Amino acid sequence: MNSPTPLEQLIREAVSPRQVSIGLPASLSTAERRFPLTPEAAAMLVDRGFAVKMESGASGTIHFSDEAYARHGVAIVDRAEAFRSDIVVYLPPVSEADAQRLKRGALLLGFEHAENRTVRGLKILLQKAVTAIALDKIRDTANKRPFADILREIDGRAAIAIASALLADAVHGKGILLGGVAGVVPCELTLIGADLAALAAARSAIGLGATVRVFDNDMYRLRNLTAAVGQGVIASALHPRVLRSALRTADIVIGCSLRRQFEVSSEDVAEMKKGVLTFDLGHMSSPMFPSMPTVDLALASPCDNTGDVATRVCYVNAGSAVPRTAAMALSNTLLTMFDDIIACDTALNALKLMPGLRCAAYTFLGKPVSADVAQLLGMRAVDINLLLQFS
């Protein structure tokens, strides 16, 4: 019996897929000190097959050196190279010059910064068919906003940490603790708004022994906050007389987000006690203390708080005072998002399969897909779902 004769046969050549690059440019905004990835998080993305490129010096705001990232396989490049990546993670508003550096069809991830958008910058994104996504508007499968929520939690915790340090300062503050000492009346914290930032602030303040009062006209939010914190918090509807009384005796006042815009009048501000510390955690959307001058904690150190009404200030941007904590929290959330994108194979498929990612896009395939962006451009918004059907 003849043995079979082997024959030549064409085999399919194995072709490695192109490596997707992630760019991390340095922030040029002094008001945005947060950075999206720690060295450990960047290393995990490299292990997942991404080529991570970071602009030299970009991580200086969170006190990590270029070498810390290079040791984990991150390429240290110039600004132009970082912006030429397939995916660019840049938290501040993108300038027109940087928008020109983006490659055609890139994916841009950053915060919304609706108040800082320019018509020219948006037109450049449309011309380059950039898919721009606001991280703080992304929703998960439970309809929660993971990026926005973690930043709100940091804001609340940071405000209490800063306030505690200022009150304890014997030179520039009152030289007092928030509470927890037997026989000594604790400090009072008044929270206006019962959102996630208020919940974080209340937990921190109660843990330090302070008396906490929270005001909101949404009874469900008040109920959820008191259920999470426990009986140590005093919850009330926004009755003007009750709020005014709380403001007069408060050592710390923190404005958080409310369902409806709310402002504390200049008359109520004038009645607040000497040395009170005021924070506005929702300042960018609608200032709660419009009569008070603001101090951005990303730009300046806290002022003396022992002065009278004339020198009283309102602190904003509390979360940027702890940028390294924010970087660690953002890294965790970004890794989860990139895992979802990997599972979908491409960013385009991720937009098709992930409604929570899709709703955060504001430009796609050269079209404005957000009503706010379209209105600013004087154009008609296009439904992203229709664009995805034909892409």
Side-chain angles (χ1 to χ4, degrees), residues 69-84:
Y69 286 83
R71 285 196 298 268
H72 292 291
V74 175
I76 307 302
V77 298
D78 60 18
R79 189 170 189 81
E81 183 66 21
F83 268 104
R84 280 197 297 267

Side-chain angles (χ1 to χ4, degrees), residues 208-233:
L208 293 170
T211 298
V212 178
R213 292 182 173 86
V214 58
F215 294 84
D216 201 309
N217 274 336
D218 189 323
M219 295 302 106
Y220 285 99
R221 295 217 302 179
L222 282 176
R223 187 176 293 117
N224 291 337
L225 186 144
T226 53
V229 174
Q231 299 302 313
V233 63

Side-chain angles (χ1 to χ4, degrees), residues 190 213 215 236-248:
T190 293
R213 292 182 173 86
F215 294 84
S236 171
L238 266 171
H239 294 298
R241 184 178 300 175
V242 180
L243 175 61
R244 192 174 298 117
S245 176
L247 290 174
R248 279 198 297 264

Side-chain angles (χ1 to χ4, degrees), residues 117-318:
R117 288 172 178 160
T118 65
V119 172
R120 175 60 183 159
L122 289 170
K123 284 184 176 179
I124 295 172
L125 297 183
L126 297 182
Q127 291 167 4
K128 289 179 169 286
V130 171
T131 299
I133 293 178
L135 291 172
D136 41 340
K137 296 188 73 174
I138 292 176
R139 294 184 179 273
D140 59 17
T141 54
N143 204 34
K144 303 293 185 181
R145 293 184 176 182
F147 289 95
D149 287 350
I150 192 63
L151 294 177
R152 295 296 292 164
E153 184 175 356
I154 291 171
D155 285 345
R157 298 257 181 202
I160 296 301
I162 295 167
S164 178
L166 288 174
L167 287 173
D169 190 323
V171 177
H172 304 292
K174 291 184 175 181
I176 60 175
L177 295 174
L178 279 180
V181 179
V184 178
V185 176
C187 289
E188 295 184 18
L189 164 66
T190 293
L191 293 161
I192 306 174
D195 66 352
L196 189 58
L199 172 59
R203 280 177 166 162
S204 293
I206 289 174
L208 293 170
T211 298
V212 178
R213 292 182 173 86
V214 58
F215 294 84
D216 201 309
N217 274 336
D218 189 323
M219 295 302 106
Y220 285 99
R221 295 217 302 179
L222 282 176
R223 187 176 293 117
N224 291 337
L225 186 144
T226 53
V229 174
Q231 299 302 313
V233 63
I234 303 166
S236 171
L238 266 171
H239 294 298
R241 184 178 300 175
V242 180
L243 175 61
R244 192 174 298 117
S245 176
L247 290 174
R248 279 198 297 264
T249 60
D251 299 283
I252 307 168
V253 178
I254 300 179
C256 303
S257 66
L258 292 159
R259 301 293 187 194
R260 296 181 181 178
Q261 184 176 348
F262 179 82
E263 294 182 357
V264 177
S265 68
S266 57
E267 292 79 9
D268 288 339
V269 168
E271 292 186 13
M272 291 178 358
K273 72 191 317 185
K274 180 180 179 180
V276 64
L277 295 170
T278 307
F279 294 80
D280 191 348
L281 303 186
H283 175 75
M284 296 307 295
S285 56
S286 58
M288 190 173 289
F289 307 93
S291 64
M292 300 179 68
T294 59
V295 172
D296 191 329
L297 290 170
L299 303 174
S301 299
C303 308
D304 290 359
N305 70 308
T306 54
D308 55 18
V309 175
T311 60
R312 187 174 291 159
V313 298
C314 177
Y315 295 115
V316 299
N317 211 1

